[in-house]
Every structure is written in structure tokens, then in C-alpha cells.
Amino acid sequence: GDSWGIFTFLCAALCNLPALPALNCTEELGAGQSIQKTYDLTRYLEHQLRTLAGTYLNYLGPPFNEPDFNPPRLARAERVPSATVDLDLWRGLTDNARLAANYRAYSRLLCYLRALDGQAGTAELRHRLGHFCSSLQGLVLSIAGVMSSLGYPLPAGPAGPPAPPGTPVAPNDFLKKMDDFWLLKELQTWLWRSAKDFNRLKKKVPPAVVTLRLEARGF
Amino acid sequence: MANPVPSACCVVLAAVVVVYAQRHSQQDSHIQYERVGADVTMKCGSMDWDAAVTWTANGTDIDESHLNGSYLILKNVDLTQSGQYSCYEGSSWHLKYQTYLRVGTPPKDPVLMCRSNNYPKGFYCSWHLPTPTYIPNSFNISVVHGTREMVCEKDVFPKNRCHIRYLQLFSTVKYKVTLTVTNALGKNSTTLTFDEFAIVKPDPPESVVAKPVPNNPRRLEVSWQNPSSWPDPESFPLKFFLRYRPLILDQWQHVELSDGTSHTITDAYAGKEYIIQVAAKDNDIGTWSDWSVAVHATPWTEEPKHLTTEAQVTETTSASTSSFMPPPTTKICDKG
């Protein structure tokens, strides 16, 4: 009921993020410091996710909470954005593409996670999920901040409803749990990947770049 | 066999017979594998049960008590009974049958280990048998990633090892590695399932050097290098763990360093020899490497070392960041 309205609003708000003017930001962080902050956020989230995933998978019950559980990827799971990428391709990503991939992925993951929140069984789970979603939202905004400060446009398009139109809702309970399992797995992998993404960005974008860009844009 | 001449003749004769027999292929000559503790019955080729034969083991005649007719019976065989068994027709001394008996065991569960010390290039797997089988074994390794079967290239050295290159990075699908050991008496296998990130473990740091700092009796300067097997420390930086203690104490002191490949210890006990080691880990994923080779160093002292108890006591009363209790003075005297 209410939660649907809230996250729809949030998703819409995130969609309108390109309007966020980084220069009005009173903190005046250099891009280098923003990248560091974003990196730290991914590490914090990764740590939080470990506890959250453990609790959630136990809630789902076996076989999802078994350490060796290694199911095949079903076609329907492809709608969750995957962090998997060819090594050379990953190395060759431009800063813009790298940031955009992260931004798009976490925006979608956030929406899916909020849908999970609405249906979670226990109060403890809802509390944990809610807290995690807030932190994840902070990460999305942080990435947006970095992109803005570097002069990159935010990726167009809505963050999307929990189930993009055309994708059927899980037909049974087991498949729904599979979806949840893969969502958490992709989220975990993305957080590991982001640590490496932001490491690369840290090295390539010194704070001085921001000043140059400001001058180039006539500020 | 006191007289060497007749025995020499026997040896020559046996050799001639063997060569003749081999050229005429009148008998089987093969390898026979049997389990430890099994009962083995050897038939003398196509000879009848009641034929008169002589069996030898590695050239030595076998006592008739082991024979059942022309069959050789070996009960509860052990490893010492491995060897060449030959059967000769009684009077003509024709070689009728020959076999190599190899006593061994079927393979137990092999020990398999996979590790990525060169992330993100790939990983390697190595294996061994926990107990020997005493007979030849063959190993087959298979690596499955989701639906894809990958080829693990065998290393020339060490032998029981193979390596794989990652085709994709940041994969959510686990890798499943199965090692099968097979020999003539049986087979066994072990399977490992793991995530890409779980097996990342760098090699220990290299070229660890510890030096005293002139005019600083409590300092030691430690420096090291990234392990040479780690291909891309720029994009995949390592963090380090340093541990040090004076030789005379058992408790280590630890420092974790997220940046740089050097560190200055500032709370060393003056005049005491220290042992220092460093370990490495990817900044974000995987596990710590093994400890590096240990280096020894003693902080700078003004004159030849005096291992006095007074010096020890003054040091402990001054401000110190170390958290362990100094040993009682008698202990130092004893060990000093």
C-alpha cells in the first residue's frame, strides 16, 4: 500500500537527479575526495550486506541458505543487472562509462530491494532491509555526486519499477525465492566490483581535475 | 650356492632362456596389480593344474609349500611381495609364464586446493594423495563454470598442478572443480565449489628488509615489495600486515598497513634482536597470504650491546604503546 507509493516516488526522484547541481553543494568536495567517500560507502555496504544476506537467506530457508548452493541461472534472473564483465573490457572502460554502469546498477538494485522490503516476513528483516536501502540510496546519490562534479551526465531513463513491464511476477513461491537469492548475489558481487571500480577511479582522477573542469565551464 | 661357478652358469642359462622365450612368445609377460591383503592365485600360463613347474620370485625359487598344483598361491600379500614372478616347466626349464606383481591400494580421497595468487588473471589448483598407493595413478581434473566447461592447463612444474585464465571478472556463478584419481585398483574424487572472490590469496611479500635507524635505539625500518606473482597492484592494490617481536618474547605485535610498502617500528626494546614478518592481502577480497620469510634486526645501539636489567626496567616505565607485559627480570637474566 503506502510503501509502494513511497518507493515509486523515490524512484521518480532518483530519475530526476540529473538536475542536482553539484556546485551548489556546500561541502565543496574535490572529485578525488568524493570518490574516496564512495569507495568507503561500498566497503561499508558490503560489510552490512553480509549480515543482511545471512539473515535473509535463513528466512528463505534451505537450500538457499546452504553455502554450497550453486543453482543454474534462469533466464528470468537476467533482469537484475550483472557485474560480470570481460577483463579487458572492464580495464578499458572510460571513467564516464565506469561510473554510469555503477549508477545504473545500484539504481535498479535499490528498486528491487525496496520491493523485497515490502514483502519481508519478519519485523527484524524489514528493519534491516530498510536500513540497508537507506545506505544504498546514499551510495546512488554519492555516485551521482561524483558524476556531476566530473561533468558527466547522469544516465537517462527511470530507475524503474520493481518489476519492469513485460517481466512476469514469479509464478510460484520457489521461483520468487530464487529471484531474491540472485538479487542478493548480484548486489554482493556489484559491491565487490565497485570497490575495484572506485580504486581505479581514485588513481585516475586527482582533485586537481575538478578545478580545471570548473574553469572550462566558465565558473 | 657356495660355489660361484655353478650359480653363474645358472644365471647365464636363465638369461638365455628368457631371451629365447621372449623371441618365441610362448608365454604371457604382463603387469598384475593386486590390493594389499588380497589372496593372489597365479596360473602358469596354459599349463595344466597337475603339471610340474617351478616358480621364482625375482629369480629366487619359491618353496613348494606355496603351490597348489601348478598354481602359485600368495595369501594376504604385502608390499614386499611386489616383483617379477616367473613360472618354468619342470624338466625343460622353459619359461612358461611371467608377470610383474605390483601390490598397492586403491586411491583414497585426494586433497585438492585452488587458489588465485595472481588475481585478476586466473587461478591454479593443486592436488596430492594423502597416502601413497604404491602403484601408478592418473589424475583428471575438470572445471565447470555455470554451464561452461573450462580447460585447466597442466603445469610442467610442479606436476600436480594446473592453471586457468579468467575469461570474465566479477562473476556471480561459482566454479566447480572435480579431481578424479584412478589406478588399476579403483578410483576416487574430490570436488571443490567456490566463488571467484573466495580463493584470492596473494603470495607473501618479497624482499623484506629490516634495518636499524642510526641514533634511534628504539626504531627499526622495515620495507618490502609486492609479491611478483601479483600482476596489477595499481588496479588491485594490496594491504599489509606486519608482525614483530623480540626473540626473547613469545607475543607478537601487529600493525595493519593499507598503503605503502614500508613501516618504521618505533617501540622496539633497545638492544634486543627482533624477528619481523609481513603478510599481504587484496584490499577488498580474499584472504591473507602466508607470512613472509622472517627477517632479523636489532635496533641501533651506541656501543656494543649491554643486556642489562636496569635498561629493561626503565624502558617499561616510560610511555609505551605496546600492550604486553614485560617479563620478570629473572627471566631476562636467564635468557639474556
Side-chain angles (χ1 to χ4, degrees), chain B residues 164-198:
Chain B
I164 275 201
R165 280 186 163 273
Y166 281 132
L167 300 170
Q168 291 184 313
L169 221 53
F170 314 119
S171 177
T172 42
V173 179
K174 289 190 200 249
Y175 290 84
K176 184 162 141 175
V177 180
T178 305
L179 174 77
T180 311
V181 190
T182 313
N183 68 19
L185 300 175
K187 69 197 250 181
N188 216 325
S189 67
T190 299
T191 302
L192 277 184
T193 313
F194 52 83
D195 279 313
E196 177 188 313
F197 306 104

mmCIF file of all heavy atoms in Angstrom, chain B residues 164-198:
data_model
loop_
_atom_site.group_PDB
_atom_site.id
_atom_site.type_symbol
_atom_site.label_atom_id
_atom_site.label_comp_id
_atom_site.label_asym_id
_atom_site.label_seq_id
_atom_site.Cartn_x
_atom_site.Cartn_y
_atom_site.Cartn_z
ATOM 1 N N ILE B 164 44.231 -21.859 -14.741
ATOM 2 C CA ILE B 164 43.107 -21.406 -15.588
ATOM 3 C C ILE B 164 43.135 -19.896 -15.668
ATOM 4 O O ILE B 164 43.435 -19.236 -14.672
ATOM 5 C CB ILE B 164 41.779 -21.867 -14.942
ATOM 6 C CG1 ILE B 164 41.454 -23.275 -15.370
ATOM 7 C CG2 ILE B 164 40.642 -20.937 -15.266
ATOM 8 C CD1 ILE B 164 40.017 -23.641 -15.243
ATOM 9 N N ARG B 165 42.824 -19.389 -16.859
ATOM 10 C CA ARG B 165 42.697 -17.938 -17.004
ATOM 11 C C ARG B 165 41.232 -17.549 -16.883
ATOM 12 O O ARG B 165 40.366 -18.195 -17.474
ATOM 13 C CB ARG B 165 43.189 -17.527 -18.401
ATOM 14 C CG ARG B 165 44.675 -17.454 -18.480
ATOM 15 C CD ARG B 165 45.121 -16.907 -19.834
ATOM 16 N NE ARG B 165 46.492 -16.483 -19.753
ATOM 17 C CZ ARG B 165 46.872 -15.265 -19.346
ATOM 18 N NH1 ARG B 165 45.973 -14.370 -19.031
ATOM 19 N NH2 ARG B 165 48.136 -14.961 -19.253
ATOM 20 N N TYR B 166 40.988 -16.480 -16.141
ATOM 21 C CA TYR B 166 39.606 -15.984 -16.074
ATOM 22 C C TYR B 166 39.217 -15.386 -17.421
ATOM 23 O O TYR B 166 39.968 -14.608 -18.000
ATOM 24 C CB TYR B 166 39.476 -14.896 -15.006
ATOM 25 C CG TYR B 166 39.391 -15.411 -13.596
ATOM 26 C CD1 TYR B 166 40.167 -14.867 -12.588
ATOM 27 C CD2 TYR B 166 38.517 -16.437 -13.249
ATOM 28 C CE1 TYR B 166 40.083 -15.325 -11.280
ATOM 29 C CE2 TYR B 166 38.435 -16.905 -11.955
ATOM 30 C CZ TYR B 166 39.226 -16.340 -10.973
ATOM 31 O OH TYR B 166 39.142 -16.790 -9.683
ATOM 32 N N LEU B 167 38.023 -15.769 -17.880
ATOM 33 C CA LEU B 167 37.511 -15.136 -19.095
ATOM 34 C C LEU B 167 36.676 -13.926 -18.719
ATOM 35 O O LEU B 167 36.592 -12.939 -19.426
ATOM 36 C CB LEU B 167 36.663 -16.139 -19.880
ATOM 37 C CG LEU B 167 37.446 -17.388 -20.313
ATOM 38 C CD1 LEU B 167 36.496 -18.436 -20.875
ATOM 39 C CD2 LEU B 167 38.500 -17.025 -21.338
ATOM 40 N N GLN B 168 36.009 -14.032 -17.573
ATOM 41 C CA GLN B 168 35.177 -12.940 -17.103
ATOM 42 C C GLN B 168 35.533 -12.622 -15.655
ATOM 43 O O GLN B 168 35.947 -13.492 -14.906
ATOM 44 C CB GLN B 168 33.698 -13.354 -17.132
ATOM 45 C CG GLN B 168 33.131 -13.524 -18.516
ATOM 46 C CD GLN B 168 31.663 -13.833 -18.433
ATOM 47 O OE1 GLN B 168 31.248 -14.676 -17.661
ATOM 48 N NE2 GLN B 168 30.868 -13.127 -19.214
ATOM 49 N N LEU B 169 35.314 -11.388 -15.331
ATOM 50 C CA LEU B 169 35.606 -10.939 -13.968
ATOM 51 C C LEU B 169 34.315 -10.630 -13.242
ATOM 52 O O LEU B 169 33.302 -10.332 -13.869
ATOM 53 C CB LEU B 169 36.464 -9.680 -14.061
ATOM 54 C CG LEU B 169 37.616 -9.548 -13.077
ATOM 55 C CD1 LEU B 169 38.500 -10.777 -13.117
ATOM 56 C CD2 LEU B 169 38.428 -8.310 -13.404
ATOM 57 N N PHE B 170 34.354 -10.686 -11.901
ATOM 58 C CA PHE B 170 33.186 -10.350 -11.080
ATOM 59 C C PHE B 170 32.014 -11.258 -11.430
ATOM 60 O O PHE B 170 30.910 -10.793 -11.722
ATOM 61 C CB PHE B 170 32.782 -8.878 -11.256
ATOM 62 C CG PHE B 170 33.945 -7.927 -11.185
ATOM 63 C CD1 PHE B 170 34.261 -7.122 -12.279
ATOM 64 C CD2 PHE B 170 34.735 -7.833 -10.061
ATOM 65 C CE1 PHE B 170 35.340 -6.250 -12.237
ATOM 66 C CE2 PHE B 170 35.822 -6.966 -10.011
ATOM 67 C CZ PHE B 170 36.119 -6.170 -11.104
ATOM 68 N N SER B 171 32.279 -12.549 -11.392
ATOM 69 C CA SER B 171 31.233 -13.498 -11.746
ATOM 70 C C SER B 171 30.437 -13.897 -10.514
ATOM 71 O O SER B 171 30.986 -14.064 -9.426
ATOM 72 C CB SER B 171 31.877 -14.744 -12.372
ATOM 73 O OG SER B 171 30.898 -15.698 -12.652
ATOM 74 N N THR B 172 29.111 -14.060 -10.683
ATOM 75 C CA THR B 172 28.266 -14.496 -9.572
ATOM 76 C C THR B 172 28.136 -16.008 -9.553
ATOM 77 O O THR B 172 27.657 -16.583 -8.581
ATOM 78 C CB THR B 172 26.848 -13.933 -9.705
ATOM 79 O OG1 THR B 172 26.454 -14.037 -11.067
ATOM 80 C CG2 THR B 172 26.771 -12.494 -9.261
ATOM 81 N N VAL B 173 28.563 -16.638 -10.638
ATOM 82 C CA VAL B 173 28.408 -18.083 -10.735
ATOM 83 C C VAL B 173 29.647 -18.750 -10.143
ATOM 84 O O VAL B 173 30.770 -18.333 -10.401
ATOM 85 C CB VAL B 173 28.232 -18.494 -12.215
ATOM 86 C CG1 VAL B 173 28.095 -19.986 -12.341
ATOM 87 C CG2 VAL B 173 27.025 -17.790 -12.804
ATOM 88 N N LYS B 174 29.417 -19.786 -9.363
ATOM 89 C CA LYS B 174 30.553 -20.461 -8.717
ATOM 90 C C LYS B 174 31.312 -21.335 -9.712
ATOM 91 O O LYS B 174 30.787 -21.764 -10.732
ATOM 92 C CB LYS B 174 30.042 -21.349 -7.578
ATOM 93 C CG LYS B 174 29.537 -20.554 -6.383
ATOM 94 C CD LYS B 174 29.270 -21.474 -5.208
ATOM 95 C CE LYS B 174 28.349 -20.843 -4.200
ATOM 96 N NZ LYS B 174 28.893 -20.481 -2.955
ATOM 97 N N TYR B 175 32.561 -21.618 -9.354
ATOM 98 C CA TYR B 175 33.380 -22.558 -10.108
ATOM 99 C C TYR B 175 33.338 -23.905 -9.396
ATOM 100 O O TYR B 175 33.385 -23.967 -8.170
ATOM 101 C CB TYR B 175 34.831 -22.073 -10.180
ATOM 102 C CG TYR B 175 35.008 -20.857 -11.052
ATOM 103 C CD1 TYR B 175 34.774 -19.581 -10.555
ATOM 104 C CD2 TYR B 175 35.407 -20.993 -12.375
ATOM 105 C CE1 TYR B 175 34.924 -18.467 -11.358
ATOM 106 C CE2 TYR B 175 35.564 -19.888 -13.186
ATOM 107 C CZ TYR B 175 35.315 -18.622 -12.677
ATOM 108 O OH TYR B 175 35.461 -17.523 -13.475
ATOM 109 N N LYS B 176 33.222 -24.958 -10.194
ATOM 110 C CA LYS B 176 33.187 -26.304 -9.591
ATOM 111 C C LYS B 176 34.344 -27.110 -10.176
ATOM 112 O O LYS B 176 34.395 -27.379 -11.374
ATOM 113 C CB LYS B 176 31.853 -26.971 -9.926
ATOM 114 C CG LYS B 176 31.674 -28.324 -9.262
ATOM 115 C CD LYS B 176 30.213 -28.722 -9.272
ATOM 116 C CE LYS B 176 30.107 -30.215 -9.538
ATOM 117 N NZ LYS B 176 28.755 -30.707 -9.446
ATOM 118 N N VAL B 177 35.266 -27.488 -9.299
ATOM 119 C CA VAL B 177 36.460 -28.216 -9.746
ATOM 120 C C VAL B 177 36.403 -29.629 -9.195
ATOM 121 O O VAL B 177 36.246 -29.827 -7.991
ATOM 122 C CB VAL B 177 37.740 -27.511 -9.235
ATOM 123 C CG1 VAL B 177 38.975 -28.249 -9.702
ATOM 124 C CG2 VAL B 177 37.758 -26.070 -9.707
ATOM 125 N N THR B 178 36.523 -30.602 -10.095
ATOM 126 C CA THR B 178 36.490 -32.004 -9.679
ATOM 127 C C THR B 178 37.787 -32.682 -10.086
ATOM 128 O O THR B 178 38.172 -32.646 -11.253
ATOM 129 C CB THR B 178 35.307 -32.745 -10.333
ATOM 130 O OG1 THR B 178 34.115 -32.041 -10.038
ATOM 131 C CG2 THR B 178 35.195 -34.168 -9.789
ATOM 132 N N LEU B 179 38.436 -33.299 -9.102
ATOM 133 C CA LEU B 179 39.661 -34.045 -9.386
ATOM 134 C C LEU B 179 39.383 -35.514 -9.194
ATOM 135 O O LEU B 179 38.888 -35.917 -8.137
ATOM 136 C CB LEU B 179 40.766 -33.605 -8.431
ATOM 137 C CG LEU B 179 42.046 -34.431 -8.564
ATOM 138 C CD1 LEU B 179 42.823 -34.026 -9.789
ATOM 139 C CD2 LEU B 179 42.915 -34.286 -7.329
ATOM 140 N N THR B 180 39.674 -36.323 -10.205
ATOM 141 C CA THR B 180 39.485 -37.766 -10.119
ATOM 142 C C THR B 180 40.832 -38.456 -10.218
ATOM 143 O O THR B 180 41.613 -38.184 -11.129
ATOM 144 C CB THR B 180 38.575 -38.266 -11.271
ATOM 145 O OG1 THR B 180 37.420 -37.448 -11.322
ATOM 146 C CG2 THR B 180 38.164 -39.696 -11.044
ATOM 147 N N VAL B 181 41.089 -39.324 -9.255
ATOM 148 C CA VAL B 181 42.316 -40.124 -9.270
ATOM 149 C C VAL B 181 41.932 -41.549 -9.615
ATOM 150 O O VAL B 181 41.001 -42.086 -9.030
ATOM 151 C CB VAL B 181 42.980 -40.164 -7.876
ATOM 152 C CG1 VAL B 181 44.355 -40.768 -7.964
ATOM 153 C CG2 VAL B 181 43.009 -38.805 -7.262
ATOM 154 N N THR B 182 42.651 -42.127 -10.562
ATOM 155 C CA THR B 182 42.344 -43.500 -10.968
ATOM 156 C C THR B 182 43.608 -44.326 -10.984
ATOM 157 O O THR B 182 44.651 -43.853 -11.443
ATOM 158 C CB THR B 182 41.724 -43.516 -12.387
ATOM 159 O OG1 THR B 182 40.715 -42.518 -12.451
ATOM 160 C CG2 THR B 182 41.133 -44.861 -12.711
ATOM 161 N N ASN B 183 43.510 -45.561 -10.456
ATOM 162 C CA ASN B 183 44.597 -46.519 -10.707
ATOM 163 C C ASN B 183 43.966 -47.879 -10.968
ATOM 164 O O ASN B 183 42.739 -48.015 -11.014
ATOM 165 C CB ASN B 183 45.615 -46.532 -9.566
ATOM 166 C CG ASN B 183 45.059 -47.102 -8.269
ATOM 167 O OD1 ASN B 183 44.060 -47.806 -8.246
ATOM 168 N ND2 ASN B 183 45.730 -46.798 -7.174
ATOM 169 N N ALA B 184 44.802 -48.892 -11.135
ATOM 170 C CA ALA B 184 44.293 -50.198 -11.539
ATOM 171 C C ALA B 184 43.375 -50.822 -10.501
ATOM 172 O O ALA B 184 42.628 -51.743 -10.806
ATOM 173 C CB ALA B 184 45.475 -51.137 -11.815
ATOM 174 N N LEU B 185 43.395 -50.309 -9.283
ATOM 175 C CA LEU B 185 42.606 -50.940 -8.220
ATOM 176 C C LEU B 185 41.364 -50.151 -7.830
ATOM 177 O O LEU B 185 40.583 -50.603 -7.000
ATOM 178 C CB LEU B 185 43.476 -51.147 -6.973
ATOM 179 C CG LEU B 185 44.696 -52.037 -7.205
ATOM 180 C CD1 LEU B 185 45.574 -52.084 -5.957
ATOM 181 C CD2 LEU B 185 44.244 -53.454 -7.574
ATOM 182 N N GLY B 186 41.188 -48.974 -8.412
ATOM 183 C CA GLY B 186 39.996 -48.207 -8.057
ATOM 184 C C GLY B 186 40.133 -46.749 -8.415
ATOM 185 O O GLY B 186 41.112 -46.324 -9.025
ATOM 186 N N LYS B 187 39.112 -45.976 -8.038
ATOM 187 C CA LYS B 187 39.179 -44.541 -8.265
ATOM 188 C C LYS B 187 38.485 -43.796 -7.146
ATOM 189 O O LYS B 187 37.715 -44.365 -6.377
ATOM 190 C CB LYS B 187 38.591 -44.175 -9.624
ATOM 191 C CG LYS B 187 37.096 -44.351 -9.760
ATOM 192 C CD LYS B 187 36.729 -44.368 -11.224
ATOM 193 C CE LYS B 187 35.981 -43.130 -11.653
ATOM 194 N NZ LYS B 187 35.600 -43.148 -13.063
ATOM 195 N N ASN B 188 38.769 -42.501 -7.083
ATOM 196 C CA ASN B 188 38.195 -41.658 -6.051
ATOM 197 C C ASN B 188 38.237 -40.220 -6.545
ATOM 198 O O ASN B 188 39.008 -39.898 -7.444
ATOM 199 C CB ASN B 188 39.016 -41.802 -4.764
ATOM 200 C CG ASN B 188 38.144 -41.732 -3.539
ATOM 201 O OD1 ASN B 188 37.157 -40.988 -3.534
ATOM 202 N ND2 ASN B 188 38.473 -42.501 -2.536
ATOM 203 N N SER B 189 37.385 -39.384 -5.996
ATOM 204 C CA SER B 189 37.409 -37.998 -6.465
ATOM 205 C C SER B 189 37.061 -37.019 -5.345
ATOM 206 O O SER B 189 36.488 -37.386 -4.326
ATOM 207 C CB SER B 189 36.452 -37.801 -7.640
ATOM 208 O OG SER B 189 35.121 -37.955 -7.206
ATOM 209 N N THR B 190 37.451 -35.780 -5.570
ATOM 210 C CA THR B 190 37.146 -34.682 -4.647
ATOM 211 C C THR B 190 36.631 -33.520 -5.471
ATOM 212 O O THR B 190 37.140 -33.261 -6.556
ATOM 213 C CB THR B 190 38.423 -34.238 -3.901
ATOM 214 O OG1 THR B 190 38.921 -35.328 -3.143
ATOM 215 C CG2 THR B 190 38.141 -33.074 -2.973
ATOM 216 N N THR B 191 35.619 -32.810 -4.943
ATOM 217 C CA THR B 191 35.077 -31.653 -5.647
ATOM 218 C C THR B 191 35.140 -30.422 -4.767
ATOM 219 O O THR B 191 34.856 -30.483 -3.578
ATOM 220 C CB THR B 191 33.601 -31.901 -6.035
ATOM 221 O OG1 THR B 191 33.551 -33.059 -6.846
ATOM 222 C CG2 THR B 191 33.016 -30.732 -6.799
ATOM 223 N N LEU B 192 35.538 -29.319 -5.383
ATOM 224 C CA LEU B 192 35.550 -28.033 -4.684
ATOM 225 C C LEU B 192 34.613 -27.087 -5.416
ATOM 226 O O LEU B 192 34.643 -27.023 -6.651
ATOM 227 C CB LEU B 192 36.947 -27.412 -4.719
ATOM 228 C CG LEU B 192 38.005 -27.833 -3.706
ATOM 229 C CD1 LEU B 192 39.257 -27.004 -3.912
ATOM 230 C CD2 LEU B 192 37.502 -27.646 -2.295
ATOM 231 N N THR B 193 33.793 -26.348 -4.660
ATOM 232 C CA THR B 193 32.932 -25.333 -5.275
ATOM 233 C C THR B 193 33.236 -24.002 -4.610
ATOM 234 O O THR B 193 33.246 -23.920 -3.380
ATOM 235 C CB THR B 193 31.448 -25.687 -5.058
ATOM 236 O OG1 THR B 193 31.261 -27.057 -5.368
ATOM 237 C CG2 THR B 193 30.542 -24.856 -5.940
ATOM 238 N N PHE B 194 33.485 -22.968 -5.404
ATOM 239 C CA PHE B 194 33.856 -21.695 -4.791
ATOM 240 C C PHE B 194 33.510 -20.525 -5.688
ATOM 241 O O PHE B 194 33.340 -20.646 -6.893
ATOM 242 C CB PHE B 194 35.358 -21.668 -4.476
ATOM 243 C CG PHE B 194 36.234 -22.028 -5.643
ATOM 244 C CD1 PHE B 194 36.572 -21.079 -6.601
ATOM 245 C CD2 PHE B 194 36.719 -23.319 -5.796
ATOM 246 C CE1 PHE B 194 37.379 -21.414 -7.687
ATOM 247 C CE2 PHE B 194 37.523 -23.654 -6.869
ATOM 248 C CZ PHE B 194 37.855 -22.710 -7.820
ATOM 249 N N ASP B 195 33.402 -19.361 -5.039
ATOM 250 C CA ASP B 195 33.221 -18.089 -5.751
ATOM 251 C C ASP B 195 34.583 -17.557 -6.168
ATOM 252 O O ASP B 195 35.592 -17.826 -5.517
ATOM 253 C CB ASP B 195 32.556 -17.056 -4.831
ATOM 254 C CG ASP B 195 31.055 -17.222 -4.755
ATOM 255 O OD1 ASP B 195 30.438 -17.376 -5.819
ATOM 256 O OD2 ASP B 195 30.512 -17.205 -3.634
ATOM 257 N N GLU B 196 34.568 -16.771 -7.219
ATOM 258 C CA GLU B 196 35.786 -16.130 -7.734
ATOM 259 C C GLU B 196 36.553 -15.418 -6.626
ATOM 260 O O GLU B 196 37.777 -15.519 -6.537
ATOM 261 C CB GLU B 196 35.351 -15.140 -8.813
ATOM 262 C CG GLU B 196 36.443 -14.310 -9.431
ATOM 263 C CD GLU B 196 35.833 -13.248 -10.344
ATOM 264 O OE1 GLU B 196 34.959 -13.605 -11.139
ATOM 265 O OE2 GLU B 196 36.229 -12.077 -10.239
ATOM 266 N N PHE B 197 35.822 -14.746 -5.739
ATOM 267 C CA PHE B 197 36.480 -13.906 -4.730
ATOM 268 C C PHE B 197 37.035 -14.694 -3.570
ATOM 269 O O PHE B 197 37.957 -14.251 -2.898
ATOM 270 C CB PHE B 197 35.490 -12.885 -4.173
ATOM 271 C CG PHE B 197 34.838 -12.066 -5.231
ATOM 272 C CD1 PHE B 197 33.541 -12.305 -5.607
ATOM 273 C CD2 PHE B 197 35.541 -11.063 -5.867
ATOM 274 C CE1 PHE B 197 32.949 -11.547 -6.603
ATOM 275 C CE2 PHE B 197 34.956 -10.302 -6.863
ATOM 276 C CZ PHE B 197 33.654 -10.549 -7.226
ATOM 277 N N ALA B 198 36.441 -15.866 -3.345
ATOM 278 C CA ALA B 198 36.765 -16.589 -2.110
ATOM 279 C C ALA B 198 38.172 -17.161 -2.120
ATOM 280 O O ALA B 198 38.749 -17.381 -1.068
ATOM 281 C CB ALA B 198 35.750 -17.701 -1.882
#
